[in-house]
């Protein structure tokens, strides 16, 4: 299993490497110029469409424009907006936000194109329901000979749907509820699986209705909290914005000391985080937008391009500004992990950096501790990132702490025993990353534990909504491969995985999902580039004949 994970880590590093970044961003740039900057020309019109000015309930499809956008946003507004941005800012500096903005701007053109195609080439079934996505664009747009590529895309969507949007999301919710409210993980798993099951059994129509209420609600809570915190630190807003632009091109002393070429690190974190956040080019959102009730496919493409704007340019930006204006992105915090958490720690020999984290071998051997201080060069890794300068404390019934001296036995990175025999706690200074760092930023600006609560609620709602949307992506994909008979078994498996994800982290499945998500882009972008001229013709017709006011 360790050898398999090592291989998968290497593959993941390759498929999410610079070639994929260049392909995704480069496609967005090409589409922007080829289609005449639709993200700017059609921006105002998009909001009129979303507001329902052109809705026709008699048109074929399952959901209206707003519900389609909400369903697609429920997949992209997720843990990445809270934890992913914080991790990127921690390792890449505030400048990552600038590169996320650039990625989102060009990603809007990609979303416009892929979702227009998906809607145009969708299939309407006898019962009036719709099925669409890049797999249909490939087969019906490029020709029947390309169907194996469509099947490949659908299979990659299936693999992805059971990993990151399912296992990882439910595990994050379970950890968050257990940490903040003491809820047992299996209870979280049962409730979350039950709620997801009740919604997804109703298909995209129920998902769309739930998403159209849930997405605005959860976004409003998070946005209002972030705006309050940023406003409370108003004196830091202008300096923070200046720092973002300066750090985007000029390495800070902190970043340069760790990585040498800090500009490349900032650029890499920003672009990859942006791509991962809004999923532009991966081909997932077109599946939701294909269900929209409209005769005008370009109109639905116009709606779809607002997704990266909301997800990245608004939600992710607010997260980043909270971290920068409060200053928490470069601080360290005292932390004590109780004995119950020791099983989640992994001990590595040597220095751990973002570039070497996945290839370092977990340590097996002993650690000598004297008066609470670690003797030797070791780092301890857990869910918040790399933790340095830790001390060990003997723990008596989890309440009475005293300095510990002795040896600690490590087997493949896990603490298995100590001498003298004692429960252990770990304390020290930690440079937080992920959701914990965002929670610190919100706590800095809001009284009591309200900041933590907003982040925790955000994690729960964002994860729940992500699971809903991806369940639909998965059942449209299984339908494309084996027909409607595969939908119910897939939904059952999806719900079971929600429960399993709350109890354990399946790293191998996560890695398969991570790789599959990256590979989804290849067939999707092949169809997009092969059919872009048709999109250009449809767009010209739409703007010159049907809506000449937006030419």
């Amino acid at each position: 299993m360790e050898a398999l994970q090592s291989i998968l880590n290497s593959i993941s590093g390759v498929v999410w490497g610079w070639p994929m970044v260049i392909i995704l961003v480069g496609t967005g740039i090409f589409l922007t110029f080829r289609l005449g900057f639709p993200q700017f020309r059609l921006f105002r019109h998009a909001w009129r469409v979303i507001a329902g000015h052109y809705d026709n309930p008699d048109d074929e499809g399952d959901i209206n424009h707003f519900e389609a956008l909400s369903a697609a946003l429920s997949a992209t507004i997720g843990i990445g907006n809270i934890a992913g941005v914080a991790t990127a800012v921690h390792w890449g500096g505030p400048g990552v936000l600038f590169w996320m903005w650039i990625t989102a701007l060009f990603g809007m053109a990609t979303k416009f194109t892929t979702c227009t195609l998906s809607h145009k080439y969708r299939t309407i079934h006898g019962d009036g329901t719709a099925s669409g996505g890049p797999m249909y664009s490939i087969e019906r747009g490029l020709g029947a000979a390309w169907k194996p590529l469509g099947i490949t895309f659908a299979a990659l969507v299936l693999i992805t749907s059971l990993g990151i949007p399912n296992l990882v999301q439910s595990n994050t919710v379970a950890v968050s509820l257990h940490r903040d409210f003491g809820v047992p993980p299996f209870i979280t798993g049962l409730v979350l699986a039950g709620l997801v099951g009740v919604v997804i059994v109703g298909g995209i129509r129920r998902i769309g209705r739930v998403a159209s209420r849930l997405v605005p609600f959860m976004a409003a809570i998070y946005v209002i909290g972030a705006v309050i915190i940023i406003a409370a630190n108003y004196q830091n807003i202008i300096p923070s914005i200046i720092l973002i632009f300066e750090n985007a091109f000029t390495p800070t002393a902190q970043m340069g000391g760790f990585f040498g070429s800090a500009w490349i690190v900032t650029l890499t974190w920003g672009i990859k985080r942006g791509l991962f956040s809004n999923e532009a080019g991966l081909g997932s959102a077109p599946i939701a937008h294909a269900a929209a009730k409209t005769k005008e496919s370009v109109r639905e493409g116009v709606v779809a391009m607002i997704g990266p704007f909301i997800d990245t340019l608004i939600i992710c930006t607010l997260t980043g500004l909270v971290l920068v204006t409060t200053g928490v992105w470069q601080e360290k915090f005292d932390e004590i992990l109780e004995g119950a958490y020791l099983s989640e720690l992994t001990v590595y020999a040597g220095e751990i950096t973002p570039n070497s984290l996945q290839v370092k071998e977990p340590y097996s051997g002993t650690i000598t501790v004297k008066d609470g201080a670690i003797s030797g060069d070791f780092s301890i890794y857990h869910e918040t990132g790399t933790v340095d300068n830790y001390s060990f404390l003997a723990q008596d019934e989890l309440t009475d702490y005293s300095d510990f001296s002795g040896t600690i036995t490590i087997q493949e990175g896990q603490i298995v025993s100590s001498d003298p025999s004692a429960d252990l706690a770990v304390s020290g200074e930690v440079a937080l990353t992920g959701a914990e760092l965002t929670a610190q930023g919100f706590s800095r600006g809001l009284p009591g534990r309200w900041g933590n609560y907003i982040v925790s609620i955000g994690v729960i709602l964002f994860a729940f909504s992500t699971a809903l949307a991806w369940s639909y992506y998965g059942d449209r994909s299984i339908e494309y491969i084996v027909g409607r008979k595969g939908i119910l078994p897939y939904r059952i498996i999806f719900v079971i995985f929600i429960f399993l994800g709350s109890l354990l982290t399946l790293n191998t499945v996560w890695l398969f999902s991570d790789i599959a998500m990256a590979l989804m882009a290849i067939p999707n972008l092949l169809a997009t580039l092969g059919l872009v001229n048709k999109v250009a013709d449809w767009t010209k017709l739409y703007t010159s004949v049907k809506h000449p006011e937006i030419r």
Side-chain angles (χ1 to χ4, degrees):
M1 184 62 68
E2 289 181 8
L4 176 60
Q5 288 192 9
S6 178
I7 293 172
L8 292 176
N9 274 322
S10 299
I11 296 174
S12 178
V14 171
V15 298
W16 279 109
W18 274 107
M20 181 60 70
V21 168
I22 293 171
I23 291 171
L24 287 168
V25 178
T27 299
I29 295 173
F30 169 75
L31 294 174
T32 295
F33 283 91
R34 177 66 184 87
L35 300 174
F37 294 84
Q39 62 268 61
F40 300 106
R41 288 193 300 121
L42 304 175
F43 185 77
R44 183 179 177 182
H45 178 66
W47 291 105
R48 289 182 55 80
V49 179
I50 293 168
H53 290 286
Y54 305 98
D55 282 356
N56 184 352
D58 295 328
D59 285 344
E60 291 182 324
D62 296 299
I63 51 181
N64 62 37
H65 293 295
F66 180 68
E67 291 172 337
L69 177 63
S70 297
L73 278 174
S74 67
T76 58
I77 300 179
I79 303 302
N81 297 82
I82 296 176
V85 174
T87 301
V89 171
H90 171 76
W91 291 117
V96 301
L97 292 173
F98 173 83
W99 296 110
M100 290 177 68
W101 299 337
I102 297 299
T103 302
L105 283 174
F106 290 116
M108 290 173 71
T110 305
K111 275 281 177 76
F112 168 77
T113 310
T114 57
C115 293
T116 297
L117 287 168
S118 183
H119 189 276
K120 189 72 173 180
Y121 291 115
R122 67 180 179 173
T123 292
I124 301 296
H125 302 291
D127 59 0
T129 60
S131 295
M135 53 278 202
Y136 290 92
S137 301
I138 292 169
E139 179 185 356
R140 304 182 70 185
L142 296 179
W146 291 84
K147 184 171 183 176
L149 188 64
I151 293 175
T152 300
F153 174 84
L156 291 170
V157 173
L158 282 174
I159 296 171
T160 301
S161 70
L162 295 176
I164 295 173
N166 186 315
L167 291 167
V168 174
Q169 303 290 328
S170 61
N171 183 264
T172 303
V173 172
V175 169
S176 179
L177 287 178
H178 180 67
R179 180 188 62 234
D180 294 334
F181 305 104
V183 180
F186 80 93
I187 296 295
T188 298
L190 287 174
V191 173
L192 189 60
L195 291 174
V196 170
V198 167
V199 175
I200 69 175
V201 73
I204 188 58
R205 293 178 180 176
R206 187 175 298 174
I207 292 172
R209 287 196 298 270
V210 172
S212 66
R213 293 163 175 78
L214 180 61
V215 169
F217 173 73
M218 70 185 189
I221 291 177
Y222 192 77
V223 167
I224 291 171
V227 169
I228 291 173
I229 294 167
I230 295 168
N233 294 276
Y234 66 92
Q235 72 279 6
N236 295 329
I237 295 176
I238 299 301
S240 295
I241 293 174
I242 293 173
L243 179 60
I244 288 170
F245 280 94
E246 287 180 345
N247 183 233
F249 300 95
T250 306
T252 64
Q254 179 190 19
M255 297 303 302
F258 281 108
F259 301 103
S261 182
W263 179 77
I264 295 297
V265 174
T266 301
L267 177 70
T268 301
W269 274 105
I271 292 179
K272 287 186 177 181
R273 183 64 260 160
L275 292 172
F276 199 85
S277 174
N278 57 59
E279 298 178 11
L282 299 184
S284 52
I287 301 175
H289 286 284
K293 288 186 174 185
T294 181
K295 296 177 181 178
E296 301 292 342
S297 298
V298 171
R299 184 173 291 156
E300 190 55 33
V302 167
V303 171
M305 74 180 188
I306 298 299
F309 176 82
I310 295 175
D311 175 89
T312 306
L313 293 177
I314 295 180
I315 305 294
C316 290
T317 297
L318 288 174
T319 299
L321 285 176
V322 166
L323 301 176
V324 181
T325 57
T326 59
V328 299
W329 72 278
Q330 56 185 344
E331 294 180 11
K332 288 190 175 184
F333 301 89
D334 292 332
E335 182 177 77
I336 295 179
L337 301 179
E338 295 182 353
Y341 285 90
L342 286 178
S343 62
E344 299 178 11
L345 294 172
T346 303
V347 179
Y348 294 83
E351 180 182 0
I352 308 299
T353 68
N355 293 329
S356 63
L357 179 60
Q358 294 183 337
V359 299
K360 286 286 185 179
E361 291 297 326
Y363 175 73
S364 293
T366 59
I367 293 178
T368 302
V369 181
K370 184 176 182 181
D371 295 330
I374 302 173
S375 175
D377 186 15
F378 297 93
S379 292
I380 300 172
Y381 176 78
H382 64 112
E383 68 273 8
T384 62
T386 301
V387 185
D388 298 312
N389 302 321
Y390 262 77
S391 61
F392 286 84
L393 301 174
Q395 195 171 7
D396 181 16
E397 296 180 355
L398 300 180
T399 56
D400 183 20
Y401 294 91
S402 60
D403 286 341
F404 170 70
S405 293
T407 59
I408 301 172
T409 302
I410 311 294
Q411 184 174 341
E412 295 182 351
Q414 298 297 308
I415 300 173
V416 294
S417 65
S418 60
D419 181 25
S421 179
D423 289 330
L424 295 175
V426 184
S427 68
E429 285 191 334
V430 53
L432 297 177
T433 65
E436 289 80 4
L437 180 57
T438 303
Q440 285 289 344
F442 273 74
S443 297
R444 184 70 57 84
L446 293 174
R449 291 185 56 82
W450 283 106
N452 277 328
Y453 292 153
I454 286 179
V455 173
S456 296
I457 292 171
V459 165
I460 295 167
L461 295 180
F462 288 4
F464 176 66
S465 67
T466 298
L468 293 182
W470 273 92
S471 72
Y472 178 69
Y473 298 164
D475 80 33
R476 293 302 89 175
S477 297
I478 193 68
E479 179 194 53
Y480 181 79
I481 296 173
V482 302
R484 291 199 161 189
K485 64 179 180 293
I487 294 177
L488 180 59
Y490 166 80
R491 290 175 178 173
I492 293 172
I493 293 172
F494 190 89
V495 171
I496 292 173
F497 268 54
I498 288 281
F499 175 71
L500 292 177
S502 68
L503 301 179
L504 51 122
T505 303
L506 302 178
N507 291 328
T508 302
V509 176
W510 190 97
L511 286 168
F512 270 116
S513 177
D514 185 53
I515 294 167
M517 176 176 278
L519 293 177
M520 282 166 53
I522 296 175
N524 178 50
L525 293 183
L526 282 174
T528 301
L529 294 174
L531 298 168
V532 65
N533 289 336
K534 292 187 177 182
V535 177
D537 292 338
W538 301 333
T539 304
K540 183 178 180 180
L541 177 65
Y542 183 80
T543 57
S544 62
V545 177
K546 299 177 180 178
H547 292 281
E549 73 278 7
I550 58 175
R551 265 187 302 183

